[in-house]
Amino acid sequence: EVQLQESGPGLVKPSQSLSLTCSVTGYSITSNYWGWIRKFPGNKMEWMGYISYSGSTSYNPSLKSRISITRDTSKNQFFLQLNSVTTEDTATYYCARYSLLGGVMDAWGQGASVTVSS
Amino acid sequence: QITLTQQAESLWVSPGEKVSITCRASQSLLYTDGKHYLSWYQQRPGQTTKALIYHASIRTDGVPTRFIGSGSGTEFTLSIEDVQPEDIALYYCLQTLKKPSTFGGGTKLELK
């Protein structure tokens, strides 16, 4: 059974970078697509981007050049980096696996709460 | 980008009742392969987010048959028949037809 677990700092200062790790067990990240999603206070959800089985990436244009998703296949982990954060980036961050069935994220992590504050 | 609208922020239901959650898209979610790229998710406190329905009407593995997805084009519905206490949760629709993928605003199912 695939399991995903987010980890990283729970508090980041404005203008700094937010870095999160998604550790995957039970399935190789060299298959499927792997995404990052966040949920803001008030329950709005935002798709941030994904990294594919081959390492190609796709990002939400709303995040412009602030976002980077990378991976370490030897550790079966993928990563989110979001630069120049503001208080608006305070959210719960989720990693998820895209199903091979197409268009659906069929496995999610528990979520990591990140607060941006000085 | 495609906007998904879940009209109801909250719905109140008693156990055993049927409830429907709607999701309206700003454009058709039908792809050339004949499938709608609309999925439904359940979020319960302390649980990981669960995919319920994909391609508008196909249940994911292990999802009880009381969860029914329907709709086409721009109008979609998640129906829950014979609501159980464990169905009290937050429900989202998601479109993956066009990037960026977008979510509906969420509908919270609450007990009367």
Side-chain angles (χ1 to χ4, degrees), chain A residues 37 39 43 45-47 50 58 60-61 94 101-106 108-110, chain B residues 37 39 41 43 46-49 51 54-55 90 92 94 96 99-101 103 105:
Chain A
I37 304 95
K39 181 177 176 179
N43 293 332
M45 296 273 278
E46 179 180 63
W47 173 80
Y50 65 63
S58 178
N60 193 321
Y94 298 92
L101 296 168
V104 59
M105 289 180 261
D106 66 347
W108 293 62
Q110 287 277 6
Chain B
Y37 281 77
S39 48
Y41 299 83
Q43 284 191 337
Q47 307 278 321
T48 59
T49 301
Y54 66 100
H55 292 159
L90 193 49
Y92 290 95
L94 166 70
T96 51
K99 294 175 192 172
S101 296
F103 288 86

